[in-house]
């Protein structure tokens, strides 16, 4: 976190120079492109392109590793649930069944394993563009950019506050865990069984929610005292005009979706090579 109170990290890259609204449009276009397909080849290509863009942002890995770890952990957890709860969906999509092993009523097929791998790659393909948006977008500039492209300033300011609140949540979780560890609650592997550690992590949610509600009330009262929302329009202290780079990025985004529509019309929904 920096002095903006957000995840924004100032670096000399072309991604930092892009308008915040343009980057949000790119996040939406990237997400639409991703959810148009169930093809692992496309997802791997998106991961490579996203990794290259992430490298161009010049953000150090240590600044992103917490979010990366959280999203990868969620992906693994979701994959396990899919393997357990939808054991036949992969076979239905592929139109074939190749049994790997069977335990009681549960049967693991190659088709379902490939389906879960494809879903995991889909989620991971969204990770680079999300990290780029979070770490290269200044909250104040982003709010004014949203308002300029037609988003009501109340909504734009709400999004800006949400971006500023992400690192606060991270810090709050860290403080709660440290306080609980001082009371002898186990959070590290080896100090207690895995299920006990997971249960202890769940106990963090209650003080986190209560603290968040208290902070929301403080911010809400402060905004009411300043008359926020009284007028239909407002001025912005930080607002910059669109640059040639922003226009180029928008054109590339339109071409990106056009390529996606062409691919969608020429390939099937689920690609299975075996």
């Amino acid at each position: 976190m920096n002095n903006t109170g957000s995840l924004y990290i100032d670096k000399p890259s072309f991604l930092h120079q892009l308008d915040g609204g343009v980057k949000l449009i790119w996040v939406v276009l990237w997400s639409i492109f991703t959810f148009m397909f169930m093809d692992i080849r496309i997802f791997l290509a998106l991961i490579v392109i996203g990794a290259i863009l992430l490298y161009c942002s010049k953000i150090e890995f240590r600044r992103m590793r917490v979010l990366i770890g959280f999203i990868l952990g969620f992906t693994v957890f979701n994959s396990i649930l899919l393997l357990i709860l939808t054991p036949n969906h992969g076979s239905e999509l592929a139109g074939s069944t190749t049994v790997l092993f069977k335990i009681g009523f549960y049967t693991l097929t190659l088709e379902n394993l490939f389906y879960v791998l494809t879903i995991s790659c889909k989620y991971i393909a969204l990770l680079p563009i999300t990290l780029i948006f979070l770490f290269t977008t200044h909250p104040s500039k982003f709010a004014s950019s949203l308002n300029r492209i037609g988003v009501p300033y109340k909504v734009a300011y709400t999004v800006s506050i949400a971006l500023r609140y992400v690192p606060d949540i991270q810090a709050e979780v860290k403080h709660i865990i440290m306080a609980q560890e001082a009371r002898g609650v186990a959070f590290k592997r080896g100090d207690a069984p895995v299920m006990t550690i997971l249960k202890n992590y769940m106990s963090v949610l209650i003080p986190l929610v209560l603290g968040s509600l208290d902070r929301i009330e403080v911010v809400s009262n402060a905004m009411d005292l300043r008359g926020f929302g009284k007028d239909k329009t407002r001025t912005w202290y930080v607002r910059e005009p669109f640059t040639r780079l922003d226009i180029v990025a928008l054109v590339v985004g339109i071409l990106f979706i056009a390529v996606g529509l062409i691919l969608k019309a020429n390939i099937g929904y689920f690609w299975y090579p075996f």
Side-chain angles (χ1 to χ4, degrees), residues 15 21 30 34 56 94 126 155 183 206 210 231 267:
L15 292 169
W30 189 284
T34 303
C56 292
L126 296 171
V155 177
R183 293 176 173 86
I206 297 177
L210 293 177
D231 300 321
I267 64 175

Side-chain angles (χ1 to χ4, degrees), residues 2 5 7 21 29-30 37 39 46 56 61 64 70 102 113 115 165 174 184 207 213 217 219 223 226 235 258 264 270:
N2 52 65
L7 293 174
L29 294 178
W30 189 284
F37 302 97
D39 193 318
L46 289 176
C56 292
F61 175 76
M64 304 180 290
F70 174 78
K102 185 174 183 180
L113 192 62
Y115 161 72
Y165 192 48
K174 183 178 180 181
L213 292 175
E217 184 178 2
V219 173
M223 294 174 69
R226 290 165 173 80
T235 58
K264 182 68 175 177
F270 180 65

